[in-house]
Amino acid sequence: MSSAAFIPPRRILMGPGPSDVAPRVLEAMACPTIGHLDPAFVGLMDEIKRLLQYAFQTENSLTMPVSGPGTAGMETCVVNLLEPGDTIVICQNGVFGNRLKAMAERARATVVSVKDPWGRAVDPENLEAALKATPKARYVAFVHAETSTGALSDAETLAHLARRYDCLTIVDTVTSLGGSRLQVDAWGLDAVYSGTQKCLSCTPGLSPITMSGRALSVVQSRTTPVQSWFMDVGLVIGYWGSGSKRTYHHTAPINALYSLHEALCMLKEEGVENAWVRHRRNHDALQAGLEVLGIQFIVPREERIPQLNAVKVPDGIDEARIRQRLLDEWQIEIGSGLGVLAGKIWRIGLMGYSSRSDNVIAFLSAFGNLLADEGLSVSGREAAQEAQRVLQA
């Protein structure tokens, strides 16, 4: 039996992740592998930390990439902070708030759930009511940008509430880092995690995290061992800490870290605030085109994530067939709904290197034509023209 090298098809990734990886990032990943304790690599690690501090808008000394996808960053923050018996208030307005709850329960914490409708931001009044009713709470966890619904919550307000009730925050920024305004220090966020495969235009498999001094003090003073050896920050910091002398913890994904460094360099060159503006501008163009097609968003305008657009499937349309035809005929990937929204929505991503005006135009042209094939009186050409008008304004 013979085997051959795998040659992946060329796609335009416009789903909920991963996003397209910038060519510069792919080239960086192909550089020669060196040892994970090589002095040159240690120098690269220091640069990655500084660039991540810029991306997160923080001066936290504990800022590093976890070896694993965004879920590994989530678990790192949860298991390092929570001890058995701790009480945590978790805001749940989609799939990833629910995942936070599942992890906290595995850490044997007492979970108080604050539930908001899927497709809406977390309601600060609901959080405050829960905090008033839960004087033992030590932590508040929420998702800044809920990937399953496209809802963007007010992280600054939620963190302010948590501090008022003497709670530390655990914040999911997997879809917001690099795409939406995020200011860890200015907003007073404590334990924050993200992923590389969304708005950073990088390959999947790394999860940037940052912890405030308050959070690090809690980790260092805990009375029980962290339930995960691999994700124990007290151990990993010996490898990712400051200075040239590093303690071996695990073999870092060297080439993936090359790619992260290049992606962060690109973000710094563009300017993080300019990246936020780019994502918003392309969202506005996509929104204009979708309105021409009669497609409705599930999230109110003021609560939407620019880079993740969740829209309703029109009555009588087979959402899976549209997605498959987009992929087969146009090489464009979009996502389906999760959980209670499965079969009811499409999730259209404009993240990182995928957030480009040519992608917006190509998608609207293809999408409109496919909807017309399904019997809707719409025009992909008109949708694309409206998007172009917004982009040129």
Side-chain angles (χ1 to χ4, degrees), residues 49 60 81 102 119 134 176 194 201 207 253 289 328 353 373:
K49 287 179 62 176
N60 289 341
L81 288 172
T134 316
S176 56
S194 190
S201 312
S207 178
D328 292 343
Y353 191 67
D373 288 348

Side-chain angles (χ1 to χ4, degrees), residues 188-208:
L189 310 183
D190 291 303
V192 185
Y193 60 89
S194 190
T196 53
Q197 76 277 18
K198 308 241 181 191
C199 295
L200 294 184
S201 312
C202 191
T203 52
L206 292 169
S207 178

